[in-house]
Amino acid sequence: MVKELIHDPIFLAQKSEPADENDRQTAQDLLDTITAHKDECVGMAANMIGVKKRVIVFDESGTFRVMFNPEIIGKSEPYKTEEGCLSLLGAPRPTTRFKKIKVRFQNDDFQTRIKTFTGFTAQIIQHEIDHCGGVLI
C-alpha cells in the first residue's frame, strides 16, 4: 500500500529497530510507495513511511531492491557530494559518501548476505542506511 511520507525531523532522527520476518509488509509498503514516487526518488527507508524498522528499498540498475537490517561493513574512496531527500524540505545538502561499500544484510527470505556496491547505487544505500540510524543529511 502506498503510504504517506513522514517529514518530521524529530521522528526521522530516531534510530530504527532491527527488522524481522513480521516486517515483510513494511517492505511491500516501501516498494509500493517508492514506485509511486519513482520520478523523484531512488531510495527509501521504513522510517520515511512512519515505521522505525531497519528496512530499505533502493534502485539497482532500474529495479527496486529490498534489504532488511543493512549494515555497512566496509567502505573506501570517500568523496563530497550533495543529496536531497523526499522527507526533508529544502535544497540538497552537502555530505560525504564512499564510492565503494560492502554491506551485510538480510534478503527477502531473511538469509544473511554480503555484497559490494559501487557508484550511485552505493550512494543511495548509504543515504538509506543513514536514515535507519537516525542520521539526516
Side-chain angles (χ1 to χ4, degrees):
M1 173 186 295
V2 175
K3 298 290 188 172
E4 184 175 335
L5 297 176
I6 302 298
H7 299 286
D8 178 1
I10 295 172
F11 179 84
L12 294 169
Q14 297 176 38
K15 289 185 178 183
S16 296
E17 298 176 11
D20 60 35
E21 294 182 12
N22 296 317
D23 294 307
R24 285 192 170 100
Q25 185 59 51
T26 296
Q28 186 58 57
D29 291 344
L30 273 173
L31 287 168
D32 294 344
T33 305
I34 197 169
T35 299
H37 293 277
K38 66 183 176 189
D39 293 336
E40 57 193 356
C41 185
V42 292
M44 272 187 186
N47 65 350
M48 293 174 67
I49 60 168
V51 179
K52 289 191 300 183
K53 291 293 189 119
R54 294 186 63 82
V55 184
I56 68 170
V57 297
F58 61 96
D59 183 324
E60 183 178 28
S61 303
T63 301
F64 290 120
R65 305 282 186 207
V66 174
M67 283 184 179
F68 294 94
N69 302 309
E71 175 187 6
I72 296 172
I73 58 173
K75 55 190 175 184
S76 63
E77 302 178 59
Y79 65 97
K80 301 279 185 195
T81 190
E82 289 188 348
E83 295 176 351
C85 181
L86 278 183
S87 287
L88 301 175
L89 304 175
R93 295 165 174 89
T95 188
T96 300
R97 296 293 181 211
F98 296 86
K99 291 181 183 177
K100 183 177 180 180
I101 60 171
K102 184 183 284 190
V103 182
R104 179 175 37 234
F105 62 96
Q106 291 171 307
N107 65 14
D108 294 337
D109 296 321
F110 278 83
Q111 298 167 322
T112 299
R113 298 287 185 249
I114 295 175
K115 186 173 178 180
T116 299
F117 297 90
T118 60
F120 190 52
T121 301
Q123 182 177 341
I124 299 166
I125 293 168
Q126 289 169 81
H127 180 104
E128 303 315 329
I129 290 176
D130 277 357
H131 268 295
C132 292
V135 176
L136 305 178
I137 55 169

